[in-house]
Amino acid sequence: MEEFYMEADWPEKIARQEEILRYTTFTRKQALELGLKIAELAEQKYKKGAAIRIVEDNTVIFEYKMETTNPENDWWMGKKLAVSLQTGTSSLRAYVEGKSGLRKPFWEARPENYAACGGCFPVILKGTGPVGTVTISGLAQEDDHAMVVNAIRAYLGKE
């Protein structure tokens, strides 16, 4: 995995995204609509294909693999998901907190099981906590993260 430019305030910015981008409800129909929104963003804004997986209660409730994806994207999504489930945060937040010394990077001891990089974002209900995840693979890690965040923002009508 390649390194990328990171600013000192990224841990706080990403934590703020997770605070703001919360649902009041999250249904399977909403998961379908969000997944389709992500696919639309990938095509229109990023001009690239992505593998998209939305999981709720350990059940895949949406999955779509665009034309340019392959089995390696499944591998990456599983490893990003493992980091997010262990931390209760987005996989990019875990990564930047590890790089900033705010979190012990447990994933470094088992790289075959974990990938702390952008692309997995928790689905969080207001007043409850994480109930699922949205995971993307196919772009650079910061773009995978941005695509999920931008889709959730658009879906929830948040700036």
Side-chain angles (χ1 to χ4, degrees):
M1 179 175 45
E2 64 192 52
E3 290 289 324
F4 70 96
Y5 172 76
M6 182 180 94
E7 294 186 22
D9 65 345
W10 277 22
E12 295 82 22
K13 281 184 177 180
I14 298 169
R16 185 75 181 132
Q17 289 172 342
E18 293 174 18
E19 187 64 35
I20 292 170
L21 300 177
R22 294 183 178 220
Y23 289 79
T24 53
T25 63
F26 190 73
T27 65
R28 293 189 177 186
K29 184 175 182 196
Q30 288 174 294
L32 171 64
E33 292 166 350
L34 178 60
L36 294 174
K37 181 69 175 166
I38 293 167
E40 179 184 306
L41 272 175
E43 287 178 343
Q44 293 178 358
K45 182 176 180 183
Y46 294 93
K47 308 286 189 226
K48 208 166 178 199
I52 307 158
R53 182 181 297 149
I54 302 176
V55 175
E56 175 190 53
D57 195 24
N58 293 319
T59 301
V60 175
I61 58 174
F62 178 89
E63 186 163 88
Y64 178 54
K65 294 174 185 145
M66 299 174 79
E67 297 300 326
T68 58
T69 62
N70 60 53
E72 185 177 346
N73 297 109
D74 286 326
W75 182 79
W76 279 107
M77 287 192 298
K79 291 168 60 137
K80 293 174 186 186
L81 174 63
V83 168
S84 187
L85 291 176
Q86 284 283 353
T87 62
T89 68
S90 69
S91 54
L92 186 60
R93 180 176 171 189
Y95 176 76
V96 299
E97 286 179 351
K99 287 290 185 187
S100 300
L102 299 171
R103 177 185 302 272
K104 183 178 182 340
F106 64 86
W107 51 85
E108 291 176 350
R110 295 181 50 208
E112 69 280 3
N113 295 330
Y114 299 102
C117 58
C120 188
F121 197 89
V123 173
I124 304 170
L125 290 181
K126 291 179 184 176
T128 304
V131 296
T133 56
V134 180
T135 309
I136 296 178
S137 175
L139 307 173
Q141 64 172 317
E142 59 272 23
D143 290 336
D144 280 346
H145 178 85
M147 192 167 18
V148 175
V149 167
N150 290 334
I152 293 173
R153 267 192 192 133
Y155 189 84
L156 294 175
K158 304 274 182 169
E159 286 300 317

